Amino acid sequence: MSFMKFSKTTEYAFRILSFMAQDETKLYNVDEIFEKLRVPYRYLRKLMTNLTRSGFIVSIQGKNGGYKISRKTEEIRLLEILQAVDPEYLSGKCFFGFDNCALQVPCIMHDQWTIVRTNINNILAGTSLADVKQTKND
Amino acid sequence: MSFMKFSKTTEYAFRILSFMAQDETKLYNVDEIFEKLRVPYRYLRKLMTNLTRSGFIVSIQGKNGGYKISRKTEEIRLLEILQAVDPEYLSGKCFFGFDNCALQVPCIMHDQWTIVRTNINNILAGTSLADVKQTKND
DNA sequence: CATAAATGACACCTTGAGGTATTATATAAT
DNA sequence: ATTATATAATACCTCAAGGTGTCATTTATG
Ligand code: SF4
Ligand code: SF4
């Protein structure tokens, strides 16, 4: 594992949704998304279904079907995506990974780390798909 | 995986070394460390050997043997430990996980994320084992 | 209706992190 | 020398994330 790196699945979700945010009315199909983003084809198929279940996109089945963003891109925040894709996010509180801390006085990392996490949360909560819609990388 | 959480191994390394930093002259044996920290016994054994190879501690074999911190605790920074235990750290640069970015102008996350990472790096580089030696959690 | 083109469902494979089991080696104490 | 007690080495097990393969279902269109 590598610290400060999102899971592949999270990165993929960010890529997919920020790409689809470029035109929030358009119906994208998987092949089109696959062309643009570097996501393994069948895994992408699976993720699209998951993102549909999560409610970020809606799917139209059958011929000429595809996916489109389900809500206004300004309303979908990166934090919401992260939480949906990685439910364990924010589960760990202690820098040292202790389940329950028995220190009388918090260690030197406690507050510093809380601040860092809050900072990151604010960034992710403050950034919407509309803000990153240009991330196509073609 | 869960974002913003160190790997178990990294957490363990932090715990072990910050515990041993309480007395940098003392020879700790595995059983003693196992008593205090919540690290699976045999995995702890393995980690101790790895930390020895990494040079953070020295081992004395044989009866009455054990481990002790190899350098001044003020000189061992958390960043150094993290890098030794998690070599992939800092490998990923792009927020979206792209191997090579083709954007003409960097996306909105680029600078923000660079700042966050720099911030974290500064904290980890600015904190030594001496600063966290009280983290015993018994 | 038949077909083609799209998504959905489900089972399986692979890989690395974390963890376990066993045996080998070193050394202080008697 | 023998024994007890410590670490070292090595091989194996487990589980979830990431990834693949195959077939089923939906629906526009001729
Ligand atoms: S005080 Fe330190 S050891 Fe205790 S929970 Fe906070 S970070 Fe963890
Ligand atoms: S500009 Fe955005 S997409 Fe490009 S490397 Fe930086 S973070 Fe990644």
Side-chain angles (χ1 to χ4, degrees):
Chain A
M1 185 183 299
S2 60
F3 176 66
M4 264 309 283
K5 226 171 150 342
F6 295 105
S7 69
K8 283 285 182 194
T9 303
T10 302
E11 287 178 351
Y12 293 162
F14 284 157
R15 289 189 203 179
I16 293 165
L17 293 174
S18 67
F19 174 68
M20 293 178 66
Q22 285 181 113
D23 187 343
E24 48 190 303
T25 64
K26 176 174 173 179
L27 204 63
Y28 295 88
N29 65 39
V30 170
D31 296 273
E32 188 175 1
I33 298 173
F34 176 68
E35 291 289 319
K36 294 293 183 182
L37 309 175
R38 298 293 187 81
V39 181
Y41 185 75
R42 287 185 182 78
Y43 197 59
L44 174 59
R45 292 274 303 276
K46 184 188 286 184
L47 288 185
M48 296 307 289
T49 309
N50 289 344
L51 291 175
T52 301
R53 276 201 268 261
S54 299
F56 296 112
I57 55 181
V58 293
S59 80
I60 310 291
Q61 291 190 53
K63 190 168 182 176
N64 298 339
Y67 303 88
K68 71 184 224 307
I69 295 282
S70 65
R71 292 186 275 148
K72 279 272 151 211
T73 56
E74 291 83 9
E75 293 170 4
I76 302 179
R77 306 294 170 139
L78 295 188
L79 182 60
E80 191 184 348
I81 299 169
L82 176 57
Q83 288 171 332
V85 167
D86 178 3
E88 266 195 88
Y89 178 59
L90 288 185
S91 65
K93 348 82 196 154
C94 170
F95 180 87
F96 294 91
F98 286 116
D99 288 333
N100 33 13
C101 173
L103 292 178
Q104 314 82 331
V105 45
C107 78
I108 195 177
M109 296 308 294
H110 193 96
D111 288 340
Q112 288 187 83
W113 216 237
T114 302
I115 292 172
V116 167
R117 280 199 271 93
T118 304
N119 190 11
I120 290 178
N121 263 30
N122 288 341
I123 291 177
L124 295 176
T127 308
S128 73
L129 283 184
D131 296 322
V132 293
K133 64 171 58 172
Q134 84 287 10
T135 306
K136 44 181 172 299
N137 248 289
D138 48 351
Chain B
M1 183 186 297
S2 59
F3 176 64
M4 262 311 282
K5 225 171 151 339
F6 295 105
S7 69
K8 282 285 182 196
T9 303
T10 302
E11 287 178 349
Y12 293 162
F14 284 158
R15 289 188 204 179
I16 293 165
L17 293 174
S18 67
F19 173 69
M20 294 177 67
Q22 285 181 114
D23 187 342
E24 47 191 304
T25 66
K26 176 174 176 180
L27 204 62
Y28 296 87
N29 65 38
V30 170
D31 296 272
E32 188 176 0
I33 298 174
F34 176 68
E35 290 290 319
K36 294 293 183 181
L37 311 174
R38 301 291 188 80
V39 181
Y41 185 74
R42 288 186 181 77
Y43 197 58
L44 173 59
R45 295 273 304 273
K46 185 187 287 185
L47 288 185
M48 295 308 287
T49 309
N50 289 345
L51 291 175
T52 302
R53 275 200 269 261
S54 299
F56 296 112
I57 56 182
V58 293
S59 80
I60 310 290
Q61 292 190 50
K63 190 168 181 178
N64 298 338
Y67 304 88
K68 70 182 223 314
I69 295 282
S70 66
R71 291 187 274 148
K72 280 271 149 212
T73 56
E74 291 83 8
E75 291 171 5
I76 302 179
R77 305 296 170 139
L78 296 188
L79 181 62
E80 191 184 347
I81 299 170
L82 176 57
Q83 287 170 333
V85 167
D86 178 3
E88 268 195 87
Y89 177 60
L90 288 186
S91 66
K93 347 84 197 153
C94 170
F95 180 88
F96 294 91
F98 287 115
D99 287 332
N100 34 13
C101 173
L103 293 179
Q104 315 83 330
V105 45
C107 78
I108 195 178
M109 296 309 294
H110 193 96
D111 288 341
Q112 288 188 84
W113 217 234
T114 302
I115 292 172
V116 167
R117 279 199 271 92
T118 303
N119 189 13
I120 290 177
N121 264 28
N122 288 341
I123 291 177
L124 295 176
T127 308
S128 73
L129 283 184
D131 296 323
V132 294
K133 65 170 57 171
Q134 84 287 11
T135 306
K136 42 180 172 301
N137 249 288
D138 46 353

